[in-house]
């Protein structure tokens, strides 16, 4: 088991827009992402495994580095697809493409993953040690306001305790993750 630390905002608690794609649009989107990845020397498709049928229907894609108009063309300027992509770009998030096995529908929605993929995914034992090092209860699910977490990370005693527990290396990654957070009252660090 693992625990992922990520930034969450109030919009994550509400329903996110969903677009339904057809197989041609999905294939065109994957081809477009691969071409743009080569052109820009940036990984846009995660994971990228064309030979694996499951992964070809279940992936996340970076859309923030791309022009909305160029992506919209791939989806024939379909309104719901443009809405999802625009929302992902506005929130600096990836899009998630997944297939619903019962119906065979292919959906795309705004992912919980940040555009740059800064989330911190740790094995449960390391995550619990990190939480203890931060002076938090080692629960598998929790949240804390961004400002409160930044204050904890600025405390030398917290950094010393994290070093004693062998998780000090994760603090820099946590700092990077917190730096990506919007400065509003709804931003929080979540883990689950």
């Amino acid at each position: 088991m693992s625990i992922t630390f990520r930034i969450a905002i109030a919009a994550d608690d509400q329903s996110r827009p969903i677009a339904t794609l057809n197989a041609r649009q999905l294939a065109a989107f994957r081809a477009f992402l691969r071409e743009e990845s080569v052109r820009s020397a940036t990984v846009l498709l995660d994971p990228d495994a064309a030979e694996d049928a499951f992964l070809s229907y279940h992936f996340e894609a970076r859309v923030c580095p791309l022009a909305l108009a160029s992506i919209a063309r791939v989806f024939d300027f379909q309104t719901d697809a443009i809405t999802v992509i625009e929302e992902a770009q506005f929130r600096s998030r990836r899009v998630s493409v997944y297939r619903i096995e019962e119906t065979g529908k292919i959906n795309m929605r705004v992912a919980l993953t940040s555009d740059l993929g800064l989330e911190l995914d740790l094995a449960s034992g390391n995550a619990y040690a990190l939480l203890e090092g931060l002076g938090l209860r080692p629960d598998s699910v929790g949240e804390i306001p961004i400002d409160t977490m930044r204050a904890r990370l600025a405390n030398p005693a917290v950094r010393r305790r994290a070093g004693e527990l062998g998780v000090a290396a994760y603090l820099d990654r946590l700092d990077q993750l917190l730096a990506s957070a919007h400065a509003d009252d709804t931003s929080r660090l979540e883990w689950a």
Side-chain angles (χ1 to χ4, degrees):
M1 288 293 300
S2 67
I3 296 175
T4 301
F5 294 82
R6 68 178 194 86
I7 302 298
I9 58 174
D12 294 332
D13 301 331
Q14 300 161 5
S15 64
R16 292 170 281 167
I18 297 175
T20 301
L21 311 179
N22 61 43
R24 185 198 56 75
Q25 290 171 324
L26 175 64
F29 186 44
R30 291 179 64 85
F32 173 77
L33 290 169
R34 286 187 184 113
E35 289 170 11
E36 289 299 310
S37 291
V38 169
R39 186 188 65 74
S40 63
T42 304
V43 176
L44 299 174
L45 189 56
D46 181 35
D48 185 8
E51 69 281 350
D52 187 330
F54 177 80
L55 293 180
S56 64
Y57 286 106
H58 295 83
F59 63 90
E60 290 188 352
R62 292 186 63 196
V63 294
C64 292
L66 305 170
L68 177 60
S70 65
I71 304 171
R73 186 174 49 239
V74 171
F75 297 106
D76 303 317
F77 301 96
Q78 184 179 328
T79 306
D80 58 346
I82 291 171
T83 301
V84 170
I85 294 162
E86 186 176 45
E87 180 75 12
Q89 289 180 335
F90 177 74
R91 292 176 46 197
S92 296
R93 297 283 177 91
R94 296 178 180 191
V95 294
S96 175
V97 175
Y98 57 96
R99 182 177 179 192
I100 300 174
E101 299 302 326
E102 296 81 29
T103 63
K105 283 177 44 177
I106 305 165
N107 288 338
M108 179 175 66
R109 71 179 338 162
V110 177
L112 296 175
T113 309
S114 65
D115 179 61
L116 295 174
L118 297 174
E119 288 69 20
L120 184 59
D121 189 23
L122 301 175
S124 296
N126 291 339
Y128 294 144
L130 176 61
L131 290 168
E132 286 180 27
L134 293 169
L136 299 169
R137 244 179 52 208
D139 289 331
S140 60
V141 176
E143 65 180 41
I144 187 169
I146 295 296
D147 291 339
T148 305
M149 182 54 69
R150 285 181 177 146
R152 284 179 187 266
L153 287 173
N155 185 338
V158 167
R159 292 204 174 264
R160 187 172 44 257
R161 184 174 38 232
E164 291 168 0
L165 293 171
V167 294
Y170 299 130
L171 297 183
D172 291 337
R173 291 184 53 201
L174 200 53
D175 278 330
Q176 288 178 335
L177 179 59
L178 293 174
S180 72
H182 298 289
D184 65 13
D185 294 339
T186 68
S187 293
R188 61 193 185 272
L189 177 70
E190 279 186 349
W191 58 93

